[in-house]
Amino acid sequence: MGVSSFVALGALLATVYLWQRKSKKSLGALPPGPKPVPLLGNILDLTAKELWLPAMKWAKEFGSVTYLHVLGQGLVFLNSSEAAFDLLERKGSTYSDKPYLVMVCELCGCENMVAFTPYGDQSRRQRKLLHRAFGTQVIPQYFPLIESSTKAFLQRLLVDSSEWVKHTKLYAGSLTLSTVYGYELRSSDDKFLKLADECVDILSNRIASGGGIWPVDIFPSLKKLPLWAPGSGFLHSAQKWKRKMEEFVDEPYKFVKTSLKSGTAKPSFCSTLLLDDEKKSETFEFDLKWTANSMYSASIDTTLTAVSHFLLAIMQYPAELAKAQKEIDSVVGSDRLPTFADRPFLPYVEAMYKETLRWAAPVPLSLPHRLMEDDVYNGMFIPKGSLIFGNIWAIVRDEKLYPNAHAFVPERFLEETDDVTKKKMDPKSYVFGFGRRRCPGANLTDSSLWYLMVCMMATLDISKATDDFGNLIEPKIDFNNSVFRIPDPFQVDIRPRSEQALKAISH
């Protein structure tokens, strides 16, 4: 496609967009937002790196709802807890669709992943499978596995704390491979872990670069470009990424099927459902394979983000660790690791955990929903087909909800408040997503992250690293992941609290 044709298509789309906007003006004005440029819209306002920062500025400037468009494709940011709950929760039936992005869904083969499945029968089937395996009542079945995986993580950490990123990925990958596929991961060089690492990077950084919207998403006809044509580089990338994503979905599932045939399968999400006597639909195995992969692919980066910010918080606020350790010592003692039975008796630890989730905001702009029909909210017209982002970063940095929001203050969750305010303040109401698109693995992630953090606080002293001359090394923080708020690796000093802690970890 030549440049002149591309411009003509852009002009046509812009004309249609303006006509639609004018024809629906009676429904209300669009939400406020940064001024677009002709034809291109707000494409220059989007950044591949830390998009949540300009989104925060829009929230402060334009209020609870911000509207942008890229070549007519509406992008709506919900910047307050009220707006997010009003639309994504209370109006979930019209705000629960997922955008069909040609690049990620069709060309890269991800259309059947839970995060990209359109709202309908398939998404409901997937959710049903996930609820059967990871509903609130089922999670205690995973406690022994979480405890053994956490102990193995602590043991590896004490052998070489400089590799804490690798150990965290191994922990998350091992736990999820075990729960989803019954696969025992033995090292950080494991084929499935490496495959997951590569594919999550493709999803989070390559496909999602620049906001995740590619020219082919705006002009689907570009997918028919000959591979030899100028500008077809995205097609070559998509072919390579699709092969890798298909391998990522197929290979762990084949392992489960082979294990069942040989009689060596361990209890897991897949094996339990495959052995279930309940009558299965024609789509059952297809749904199961893609649902399992979606659970696996989401866990590693979420865990790494939370652990990274937990370490940063401890280094910056060492007094908070000391308070938590004092509480743990009084309830648990020093001769054993904490258990899930201790959780109700550790309110300060719970506050530390909640503040870490708030401070981290692992997916600061959530994953986009798609509006299924025109809507009007507080006099603002939101067009059908708009992509809706829950601006989690703006919500958890709201000074009205969290005074001194940029500071790490666990005590904010120990203050006496009414039940409505308590729920509104709870970061778990936001960081796992909203409505019918809320992370289906939230219950498992909540349990595993809490246990990992309480065991780290019980057994480890965490502080800033020092150089050869004893000078403190300030951690250099940089964010280069387009979806998850994962800082680049940094140095940290991690060592056992005591001989009793070493014994508790070793036995």
Side-chain angles (χ1 to χ4, degrees):
M1 177 180 290
V3 174
S4 60
S5 299
F6 187 87
V7 171
L9 273 172
L12 176 62
L13 187 63
T15 301
V16 172
Y17 163 72
L18 291 171
W19 176 82
Q20 289 177 331
R21 180 176 174 179
K22 183 178 180 180
S23 67
K24 295 178 178 179
K25 193 173 182 180
S26 60
L27 295 176
L30 290 168
K35 185 177 180 180
V37 299
L39 297 182
L40 297 178
N42 296 98
I43 195 167
L44 300 179
D45 293 303
L46 302 179
T47 62
K49 183 177 178 180
E50 298 184 74
L51 181 58
W52 56 87
L53 296 182
M56 182 69 167
K57 292 180 181 178
W58 302 332
K60 291 179 178 179
E61 183 176 354
F62 301 112
S64 63
V65 183
T66 304
Y67 181 88
L68 299 84
H69 81 89
V70 177
L71 292 169
Q73 173 59 64
L75 308 176
V76 177
F77 293 82
L78 306 179
N79 307 318
S80 68
S81 58
E82 290 81 6
F85 278 115
D86 285 347
L87 300 184
L88 300 180
E89 298 277 350
R90 297 188 178 97
K91 291 189 174 183
S93 60
T94 55
Y95 280 82
S96 292
D97 201 12
K98 278 294 179 179
Y100 186 85
L101 301 176
V102 175
M103 183 64 175
V104 65
C105 293
E106 183 177 341
L107 298 182
C108 295
C110 300
E111 60 187 335
N112 295 301
M113 293 183 73
V114 172
F116 302 108
T117 305
Y119 184 62
D121 290 341
Q122 184 178 355
S123 66
R124 284 189 287 269
R125 294 196 306 267
Q126 290 175 328
R127 291 273 158 171
K128 184 178 178 181
L129 290 175
L130 285 163
H131 181 73
R132 285 169 63 184
F134 299 112
T136 306
Q137 303 302 318
V138 184
I139 295 303
Q141 297 179 14
Y142 300 106
F143 286 173
L145 182 57
I146 293 173
E147 290 171 352
S148 62
S149 297
T150 301
K151 181 178 283 191
F153 165 79
L154 295 171
Q155 290 170 350
R156 288 190 291 267
L157 198 59
L158 292 182
V159 170
D160 185 0
S161 63
S162 67
E163 295 286 355
W164 65 269
V165 172
K166 183 186 292 185
H167 300 326
T168 304
K169 288 183 177 181
L170 183 57
Y171 162 80
S174 175
L175 178 61
T176 314
L177 279 167
S178 297
T179 56
V180 175
Y181 298 106
Y183 179 84
E184 186 175 347
L185 195 154
R186 299 184 183 276
S187 75
S188 58
D189 293 324
D190 185 275
K191 60 180 181 180
F192 286 164
L193 186 61
K194 291 172 72 175
L195 183 60
D197 234 3
E198 187 173 355
C199 289
V200 170
D201 179 66
I202 289 172
L203 284 168
S204 298
N205 292 321
R206 303 186 195 184
I207 298 176
S209 178
I213 299 176
W214 293 65
V216 71
D217 297 318
I218 305 299
F219 304 112
S221 60
L222 291 176
K223 68 186 179 183
K224 297 179 181 179
L225 274 177
L227 292 175
W228 50 262
S232 64
F234 73 96
L235 292 173
H236 293 271
S237 297
Q239 286 183 345
K240 181 175 65 175
W241 296 342
K242 184 175 183 177
R243 286 194 296 269
K244 187 60 66 175
M245 295 305 299
E246 288 173 345
E247 182 184 0
F248 183 37
V249 173
D250 290 337
E251 292 306 311
Y253 189 74
K254 287 179 182 177
F255 166 80
V256 179
K257 298 279 285 186
T258 301
S259 300
L260 284 170
K261 286 181 180 179
S262 65
T264 60
K266 295 181 179 180
S268 68
F269 169 65
C270 287
S271 65
T272 300
L273 293 177
L274 283 167
L275 291 171
D276 197 328
D277 291 332
E278 182 179 316
K279 186 177 179 181
K280 300 176 177 63
S281 67
E282 294 180 1
T283 62
F284 171 76
E285 285 211 40
F286 179 85
D287 292 334
L288 179 62
K289 179 172 70 172
W290 280 96
T291 303
N293 172 267
S294 301
M295 181 69 192
Y296 178 33
S297 60
S299 66
I300 295 177
D301 277 355
T302 301
T303 301
L304 181 57
T305 306
V307 170
S308 297
H309 286 277
F310 171 70
L311 294 175
L312 288 172
I314 295 302
M315 285 192 284
Q316 191 171 339
Y317 298 90
E320 311 304 339
L321 174 61
K323 294 175 188 176
Q325 288 175 332
K326 182 178 180 181
E327 180 181 77
I328 293 169
D329 290 345
S330 67
V331 173
V332 178
S334 58
D335 59 348
R336 67 174 177 88
L337 293 178
T339 68
F340 283 97
D342 298 316
R343 188 169 185 175
F345 307 105
L346 298 169
Y348 194 81
V349 168
E350 192 73 25
M352 284 277 284
Y353 166 63
K354 287 182 178 180
E355 182 70 341
T356 298
L357 290 183
R358 186 197 71 84
W359 212 55
V363 187
L365 294 178
S366 68
L367 296 177
H369 296 223
R370 178 182 176 275
L371 179 57
M372 299 168 70
E373 59 185 51
D374 290 339
D375 191 27
V376 176
Y377 177 65
N378 288 346
M380 295 176 283
F381 171 61
I382 304 177
K384 174 183 177 180
S386 295
L387 305 188
I388 314 296
F389 296 84
N391 191 348
I392 296 171
W393 180 251
I395 294 171
V396 298
R397 290 297 188 277
D398 183 352
E399 288 287 339
K400 294 179 182 177
L401 194 57
Y402 307 102
N404 197 17
H406 287 280
F408 188 85
V409 185
E411 286 81 2
R412 70 174 84 246
F413 296 107
L414 298 176
E415 296 173 0
E416 287 294 326
T417 60
D418 58 84
D419 290 342
V420 173
T421 304
K422 187 176 295 186
K423 181 180 180 181
K424 191 175 179 181
M425 285 186 64
D426 190 343
K428 290 185 285 185
S429 299
Y430 313 112
V431 298
F432 295 121
F434 302 93
R436 302 179 190 188
R437 287 293 182 173
R438 190 172 188 268
C439 173
N443 294 325
L444 182 64
T445 302
D446 171 63
S447 294
S448 64
L449 284 177
W450 176 85
Y451 191 71
L452 190 69
M453 291 180 194
V454 71
C455 285
M456 291 177 74
M457 289 187 279
T459 61
L460 304 174
D461 278 330
I462 300 164
S463 59
K464 294 177 182 178
T466 57
D467 61 21
D468 294 338
F469 301 99
N471 301 310
L472 291 177
I473 300 174
E474 293 296 330
K476 183 181 178 182
I477 310 304
D478 197 16
F479 299 97
N480 286 291
N481 189 298
S482 298
V483 176
F484 291 88
R485 193 169 167 264
I486 302 177
D488 290 349
F490 52 82
Q491 290 180 276
V492 56
D493 186 90
I494 300 173
R495 58 189 66 197
R497 283 184 70 196
S498 62
E499 286 297 322
Q500 293 97 321
L502 270 175
K503 290 179 181 177
I505 294 172
S506 301
H507 292 96

